[in-house]
Amino acid sequence: MTELLKGLGRRQFLAGGMLLPLALGSLRASAKTAPHVVIVGGGFAGATAARYLARWLPDVHVSLVLGRDRYWTCPFSNLAVIGLRSLDSLEVRRDQLASGNITLVPLEARDFDPHRRTLRLEGGRTLSFDRLILAPGIEVMPEAIDGHGQDAVDTFPHAWQAGPATDHLARRLSAVPDGGLVIISVPEGPYRCPPGPYERASLMAWWLARHRPRAKLIMLDANASFTKEALFKSHWREAHPQRLSWFGRNDDGQLRRVDARRGRVHTDFEDYRPDLACVIPPQRAAAIARIADLDGGRGWCSVDARTFASTVHPNVHVIGDAAIANPMPKSAFAAASQARICAAAIAAEFSGRGPPDALLTNTCYSLLTPEKAIAVTGSYRGTRHGIQTLPGSGGTSPLQAPSSLRETEAGHARGWYASARAEAFGD
Amino acid sequence: MRRLSTLLLLASVSAVADAEGPSRGEILASACNTCHGLDGRGSPPLPPLRGRNDIRQQLQAWKIAAEATGDTHLMIRFARALSDMDIDDLASFYARQDSP
Ligand SMILES: Cc1cc2nc3c(=O)[nH]c(=O)nc-3n(C[C@H](O)[C@H](O)[C@H](O)COP(=O)(O)OP(=O)(O)OC[C@H]3O[C@@H](n4cnc5c(N)ncnc54)[C@H](O)[C@@H]3O)c2cc1C
C-alpha cells in the first residue's frame, strides 16, 4: 500500500482528496495532479534542470525563479576582459525558457520553509512546492579581506559574476600604462571555476605582451598548487618568462590586507602598488541556500550525491556552485551535469521508478591565448558515500603537444560553449 | 474499503502509465550531448552522434586505448568511465535517433 502510494508520488493530489471523483484520463492533465517543482536561480544549473524536468516528467509544472538581474555567462568572459568578445555576446536571453510547463518568475526568492514547503518571493507572494531546487550560485565576500568591502570592489575589480563588472575590468586593464603592474589574487578554495584565475592571467599576459610590452603581471595565490598547473606554468615559462610571476601560499602569495584608498595590496612581506589589482574574493553559496541551516554553517550545502537532495532537508535539492560536490569543481559544466541527474532523480521518483545511475562528468577548458586551449576532464559516480572519481577518467591535455592540438582544443571549447548554452537556455 | 481498492487500482495504473520516462541510454546520452550538441545534433567542430551505428565500436576501442594523448584524449577518458552496459545503452539510444 505505502509502496503504491509512493509510486503514485503525488502528495498534493492525495492531500487535496480529489482522487476518487477524477477519471483516469484527466489525471495527467489536471493541474492538481502535476507535481510542482520550484527552481531558484536561472543560471547553468537551474535552467538546465528546468528543461530536463520538463522533458523527463511531462506533467510536471516548473516555476523558475530568476530574480531581476540579467544574466551573462562567466564562461568566455575572460575574453571580454581583454576586449576580444563583447559583453552582449555573453548575455543570455531567458524568455525562451518559458514553455507549456515552465513558468518564469522574474522575482527574487527571499526565504523558504522546508516543512510547509513554501517559498517566499520579494513582495511577499509565496509559492508552494512539492520539490524545491536551489541553484543560486555564489556570493562573493570582499569584506572577508582586511581593508576590503563591497564599496571597494570597483577599486579591486574581480568580475567573478560576469556582467557590467566585466566591462569595468576591461576598461581598467586598458588603462594600465606600459611598464605598469597588474596583480591577480586568488582566494583559498573552494571557489567558482578553479582554473578561471589562471586562464585570466594567461589572457591578460597575452594582451599585455601586445599592448603594454613592458608591463608585468603578478599572481598572488592563497593556494599552494592549482589545477592544470604544469600546463599553465609550461606555457607561461615559454610565452611570458619575464612578464608573469606566480607566488603560491608557501611563497608569500597570500593576500593579507588591501588599502582601498591607495589601491595597494599587502602580503606578509611585500607591499605592492599595482596599477590594477584584480582581487578575487573568497566565496560561499548565495544567501537563499544558507537558510534553514541548509549549509550547516559551512557556507556550502551538503547533498546526497545520487539525487542532489539536501542532507538537511530532503525535499530541497541543491545543484551547481552552491552545492558541495567535490571532487567535482564549481564549473558550469559540472552544474549542468548535476542538474541532469537531479532532474532525472526527481522525474523517476514522481513516476514511481528507482533513481537513475548518477554518472556525473566535468570538463574545464581554459584558454592560454585567444586561439589555444587546454582541458581537464573527469567522470564520477554519485553514491551514498559521496561523489567518486571513476578510475582512469581523470586527466588533462598532454603536457608536450604541438601548437595545433592547443588550437584544436580551443575549437572544442567553443563547440562546448555553444552546445552547453543551447542545452541550458535554448539561446 | 471499496474506496481504498479503487485508489489502489488508480495508483497502479498511473504508475504503469508513467513508467516509460527517459531510458537509461537517454539519460547517459545527455552527458555526451552537453558537448555534442542539443539532442546529439553536433556543435561544430564537435561531431553529431545521433543516428550513428558506430558508437559501440568507437567507445570500446577507446576504452582499451593505452595512452590518452592527441585530439581524442578526452574521449578516451570518458570511455574508460563507461561500463559495457553503459556503452550498449548509449549505442542503442543513438542508433534509434534519426540522423541530423
Ligand atoms: C571568469 C570565469 C570563467 C569561467 N569559465 C568557465 C568555463 O569555461 N567553463 C565552465 O564550465 N565554467 C566556467 N566558469 C564557472 C561557471 O560560471 C559557474 O560554475 C556557473 O555559472 C555555475 O552555475 P550556477 O547555475 O550554479 O550559478 P550561476 O550561473 O551564478 O546562476 C545562479 C543564478 O541564480 C540567481 N539567484 C541567486 N539568488 C537568487 C534568488 N534569491 N532569487 C532568484 N535568483 C537568484 C543569480 O542571480 C544567478 O542568475 C567560469 C567562471 C568565471 C568567474
Side-chain angles (χ1 to χ4, degrees), chain A residues 28 55 357 409 415 419 423, chain B residues 18 24 26 34 39 43 73:
Chain A
R28 283 166 163 280
R55 170 182 287 215
D357 248 3
E409 292 212 83
S419 182
E423 177 188 38
Chain B
D18 272 343
R24 194 168 177 280
E26 178 175 352
T34 203
D39 296 322
S43 180
H73 69 90

Side-chain angles (χ1 to χ4, degrees), chain A residues 41 43-45 67 71 74-75 109 135-137 160 192-193 320-321 330-333 416:
Chain A
F44 278 96
Y71 187 82
C74 288
W160 222 242
R192 159 174 291 182
C193 196
D321 284 358
K330 297 190 185 302
S331 70
F333 196 114
W416 162 74

Side-chain angles (χ1 to χ4, degrees), chain A residues 5-6 8-17 32-33 35 117 129-131 315 349-350:
Chain A
L5 283 178
K6 223 164 106 203
L8 185 61
R10 295 199 172 97
R11 260 176 259 125
Q12 265 196 337
F13 182 78
L14 290 170
K32 276 260 170 16
T33 71
R117 288 190 275 125
F129 57 80
D130 293 301
R131 282 307 157 89
N315 50 16
E349 191 179 333
F350 279 100

Side-chain angles (χ1 to χ4, degrees), chain A residues 1 4-5 8 10 19-20 24 27-28 51-52 55-56 333 340 344 350-351 353 356-357 359 361 363 365 375 377 379 381 390-398 405 408-409 411-412 415-416 418-420 422-423, chain B residues 3-4 6-8 10-15 17-22 24 26-28 30-39 43-46 68-74 76-78 80-83 85-86:
Chain A
M1 167 73 191
L4 281 173
L5 283 178
L8 185 61
R10 295 199 172 97
L19 186 64
L20 293 173
L24 186 62
L27 265 176
R28 283 166 163 280
R51 280 160 61 91
Y52 278 100
R55 170 182 287 215
W56 287 340
F333 196 114
R340 286 185 231 107
F350 279 100
S351 331
R353 296 189 307 272
D357 248 3
L359 176 72
T361 51
T363 298
Y365 288 104
T377 191
S379 296
R381 197 165 298 276
L390 292 167
S393 74
T396 66
S397 309
L405 176 61
T408 301
E409 292 212 83
H412 295 165
W416 162 74
S419 182
E423 177 188 38
Chain B
R3 288 164 77 92
L4 182 64
T6 318
L7 189 142
L8 283 170
L10 278 174
S12 51
V13 172
S14 153
D18 272 343
E20 305 151 30
R24 194 168 177 280
E26 178 175 352
I27 297 173
L28 287 170
S30 68
C32 314
N33 296 346
T34 203
C35 281
H36 285 280
L38 207 57
D39 296 322
S43 180
L46 302 175
T69 57
D71 293 15
T72 52
H73 69 90
L74 205 134
I76 291 175
R77 296 205 165 90
F78 281 127
R80 285 180 188 157
L82 301 171
S83 67
M85 178 163 91
D86 293 342

